[in-house]
Structure formats: C-alpha cells, structure tokens
Amino acid sequence: MHRDLIFGVPFFIGKQLSTGNKQFFHRQMTEYDFGEIIPRRGTSSMKYDSFGDKDDIIEMWVADMDFRVAPPIIEALRRRVQHGIFGYNTIPDSYFEAVQSWFLRRHNFAIEKEWIMPAPGVVAALSCVIKALTQPGDAVLFHTPAYNCFFSSVRNNGCRAELSPLVPKGDSYVIDFEDFERRCARPDVKMFVLCNPHNPTGRVWTRNELARMADICFRNNVIIVADEIHCDIIMPGQKHIPFATVDITSESHITLASPSKGFNIAGLQIANIICDNALWRRKIDRAINDNEVCDLNPFGIVALQAAYNESEAWLDAMCKYIHANYLAMRTFFEEKIPAVKVCRLEGTYLAWVDVSRLPITAEKLSELILNKGRVRINDGRMYGDPEPQQHIRINLACPRPILLEALQRMSVVMKNL
C-alpha cells in the first residue's frame, strides 16, 4: 500500500481502491499536469481560507479549479506585471477581436464588436441586465435547481423569483415545458434567465430544447438572458449551442459569457454581456454605470486574450481530465455505494449526486461528510432544489488523487449511517 500526502495530511491509495477505480488514478499524460497538487491555503482563497479550518479538509464546494492555469495566461500576466504600472484601463480592439474569434471558431457564434459590453463578472452582469430591463415587482423566471446567485440577483433588484422545476429523468433532467409555458404566460413574468450549460445538474441543452424555450418566451414577450459562463467546459460527445445561434422569431438576444470558469481565472473579474439589441444595450450601459461596475482590472483584460487566443489546447486537455474524474466518481459509487447515483455530466465540472436512497437527508449527510469525513461539499438547499434533501454537489476540478481520497472518505461516512 502506498502512502502519500495531500495538503500535508497522509492518505493511502492502492488496496482500498477497486480494480475499476485504479484505471482512473494515473495522471493523464499530457503536457499539462492536472495531477499536480498545489497547496492553496494561505493565499486568501475563498475555497480554502473562508472557514479557518485545518489543512485536513478537502474542499470540493465553490466552483473554482485546483489546476494551475494555462501557461500562455501565466506568461501574459507575467509580462504585464513586469511593466510595473497598473493604472486605469481602456479596452483595446484586440480584446474584442479575441472574444469574436473565440466564439466564432469554438461555438459558431458570430458577434459584432458593438454587441460586446465588458463587465467585472457574470453575476455583476446579470444584476445590471435585470436592473436595466425589468421593474421592481416584476418576476424573473428560471429553472430549479439553480445557481444560487440567480436568487440574490433577482431579489437585490426588487424582483421576484418565479421557479420552474426541472424534472428528473433517468440519470439526468428534462424541462417541464407545460409548467414552463404556464409560468411564462403570467403577466408579471418579464424575463427568463437560462443557465446553459446548467449548474448544478450538468445538462447541456439541445438545439430543440433551446428553440422550444425561445418560442415560448417570444410568444409571451419574455426576455431571455442566457448565462453561458460554463460554455467552454463540455464533456466528450456533447456540443454547446449558444442560445443566440438558435433560429428564433425574435432577433434580440442577451448572452453572459466569461473565460473565468473554463480557464480558472474567476479572481481576475472579467466577463462580457453580448447583446444585439441597441435599445437594450443603452439601458444596460446605464445600469452598468449606475451600479459603478464599468471599470475592468488590467489583468483580466490580458488574461482573457491569452485564454481565447492561445490556450485552447489546455482547455481541451482539461475537459478530458474532468471527464475522467467524472467517470472515476461514477465507477466508485457504483462499486462502493450503489445507492448513490451520479447524474450524467454533459457540461461544467460540477457533479450533481442523488443521495435520496440513503437513510439521511442531504443536509445532514453533508454535515457528517464535513465533520467526520473532512470533505466540504454543497447540499441542494442553496440551489432551490425542488428536492433539497436529496442531492449534493461535488466539484470535480481537482487532481485525481484528491478526488479519490475524498470519495474514500465519503464512502466511509455513508457506510456507517
């Protein structure tokens, strides 16, 4: 049996892992070492330093990666730091060209320069769009379970969240279109926020699904805002379809996008609102200035260009590594705890896990996993899960040795319920 260290804490790999899991242990042999364990405590990391815990906790909650970013991004930032002056910025044409080039070649989405409105993050962008295009008291529709900031962005702008629950089907989820259309028909529903790919269920919506949602919203005069922050994290065999490329009657679209998730640069605070409607852009620009979120930091501007122009190979390798982590997790639970069901992962690096067959609620389970297993995960309550006591969310964007150790710890807790 082999003994190793994670964050200074001993763990064991080898005999306790089944034959089915050993095949996933070895690091993926690429020029990028996603298996490298990089200590992050003491770096003011939200993921690792928020709770003041000891080093023995494996953090698998908030959505950022434990992978070192692509070498071209590091090199671009190094050059910018060496310049030594970090004053106020303008945004160069090369920034917009990088966005246009990326979305055209990667997602077949042709974007005009004037459609692009930079912002310091997708959550800030969403808040500005809601402020610009709704009135206090309006309802904003989205699917549940949902990214938790959807709730706060709607509430902070004086609006009401209108929730259309997704429906479990097999090892995945589908849209209840009858419920969705009924809610869109409500006169107070003015906006629909689409999460594509979907956090936390991992769905990548098909063209038919997108077109049907678009048609329903258009017929009911509901504005669609597509949060596509996870659009670059797509599993093998899947295809991200930008909502704006769907053939719909309406000519107006709003997409929120950022390299922050796909390239692990969330802390650099960079995102874009992409909108082809000039009237909406004027209103959104007013909201951006009203909220005082019109300025970008120089490192985000540089990092976006390095990500979109030079880091595609890194992204492809990272997605393959995440997919292997997902397969490792599915195999582990199938063999060790078959009552636990991992939802099919089509996009994102966030696994949505059904624990309803265990004799405990998801809330209590997550507490035990933290206190006894020393692994921090999220349970379904924070996502407005229609079945909040039945699901947990696990971040798969970590070196595989850490994932396997976390799974081993969780399994010990689950076996002793």
Side-chain angles (χ1 to χ4, degrees), residues 168-173 200 329 333 337-344 351-358 360-362 365 378 380 385 387-394 414:
K169 184 177 181 181
D171 63 351
S172 189
Y173 281 78
M329 172 178 282
F333 281 123
I337 314 285
V340 172
K341 303 298 181 183
V342 180
C343 290
R344 183 170 71 247
W352 190 240
V353 180
D354 182 349
V355 295
S356 61
R357 296 170 183 83
L358 299 179
I360 191 173
T361 66
L365 177 63
N378 297 119
D385 184 9
E387 302 169 308
Q389 302 300 345
Q390 298 185 14
H391 295 92
I392 57 176
R393 194 189 79 166
I394 302 174
M414 293 172 179

Side-chain angles (χ1 to χ4, degrees), residues 117-387:
M117 308 176 71
V122 162
V123 174
L126 175 61
S127 182
C128 289
V129 170
I130 294 172
K131 180 182 179 69
L133 301 179
T134 67
Q135 297 294 323
D138 287 345
V140 177
L141 173 66
F142 50 88
H143 296 302
T144 53
Y147 173 47
N148 51 294
C149 285
F150 285 5
F151 295 93
S152 57
S153 292
V154 170
R155 181 178 62 250
N156 291 343
N157 283 284
C159 294
R160 180 181 63 81
E162 180 75 17
L163 310 179
S164 181
L166 297 173
V167 178
K169 184 177 181 181
D171 63 351
S172 189
Y173 281 78
V174 296
I175 297 165
D176 183 342
F177 279 104
E178 182 177 334
D179 177 82
F180 181 75
E181 184 159 15
R182 182 174 64 251
R183 295 179 190 276
C184 281
R186 292 176 56 101
D188 59 332
V189 173
K190 304 299 184 183
M191 179 179 289
F192 165 51
V193 180
L194 167 69
C195 193
N196 179 37
H198 188 263
N199 172 18
T201 68
R203 273 300 316 272
V204 172
W205 304 115
T206 66
R207 184 171 295 276
N208 286 341
E209 289 170 319
L210 294 171
R212 191 170 177 184
M213 285 186 279
D215 175 67
I216 291 170
C217 288
F218 175 74
R219 286 190 282 104
N220 289 280
N221 296 311
V222 175
I223 297 169
I224 301 180
V225 181
D227 174 2
E228 302 191 358
I229 192 172
H230 292 276
C231 70
D232 296 317
I233 311 169
I234 304 299
M235 297 299 100
Q238 301 295 324
K239 173 69 175 176
H240 170 70
I241 300 171
F243 171 76
T245 66
V246 175
D247 184 19
I248 57 175
T249 306
S250 171
E251 295 181 356
S252 298
H253 57 75
I254 300 172
T255 300
L256 310 180
S258 172
S260 61
K261 295 300 183 190
F263 294 93
N264 198 28
I265 54 174
L268 299 183
Q269 298 291 291
I270 196 76
N272 292 291
I273 303 167
I274 302 168
C275 176
D276 69 340
N277 183 306
L279 174 60
W280 290 358
R281 287 200 303 272
R282 287 195 292 272
K283 291 182 176 181
I284 294 168
D285 183 67
R286 181 71 267 159
I288 288 173
N289 284 275
D290 286 347
N291 288 357
E292 304 290 357
V293 290
C294 49
D295 295 321
L296 304 181
N297 80 73
F299 303 110
I301 294 171
V302 166
L304 177 143
Q305 294 175 77
Y308 286 162
N309 292 338
E310 305 176 68
S311 304
E312 192 164 6
W314 180 95
L315 177 71
D316 290 338
M318 184 275 294
C319 288
K320 291 178 181 178
Y321 194 91
I322 294 293
H323 188 247
N325 275 359
Y326 156 71
L327 294 177
M329 172 178 282
R330 285 196 70 129
T331 300
F332 184 93
F333 281 123
E334 286 169 359
E335 296 185 352
K336 300 289 187 179
I337 314 285
V340 172
K341 303 298 181 183
V342 180
C343 290
R344 183 170 71 247
L345 187 68
E346 298 174 347
T348 83
Y349 50 72
L350 305 165
W352 190 240
V353 180
D354 182 349
V355 295
S356 61
R357 296 170 183 83
L358 299 179
I360 191 173
T361 66
E363 177 185 1
K364 294 296 184 183
L365 177 63
S366 63
E367 291 175 359
L368 285 176
I369 288 174
L370 175 60
N371 295 327
K372 294 184 177 297
R374 311 305 284 165
V375 178
R376 194 187 317 274
I377 57 175
N378 297 119
D379 66 73
R381 292 171 301 160
M382 69 185 299
Y383 308 107
D385 184 9
E387 302 169 308

Side-chain angles (χ1 to χ4, degrees), residues 34-52:
F34 298 108
E36 180 186 4
I37 297 173
I38 304 171
R40 295 184 62 190
R41 295 196 192 278
T43 63
S44 298
S45 162
M46 175 183 290
K47 188 175 184 180
Y48 285 87
D49 294 325
S50 290
F51 303 98

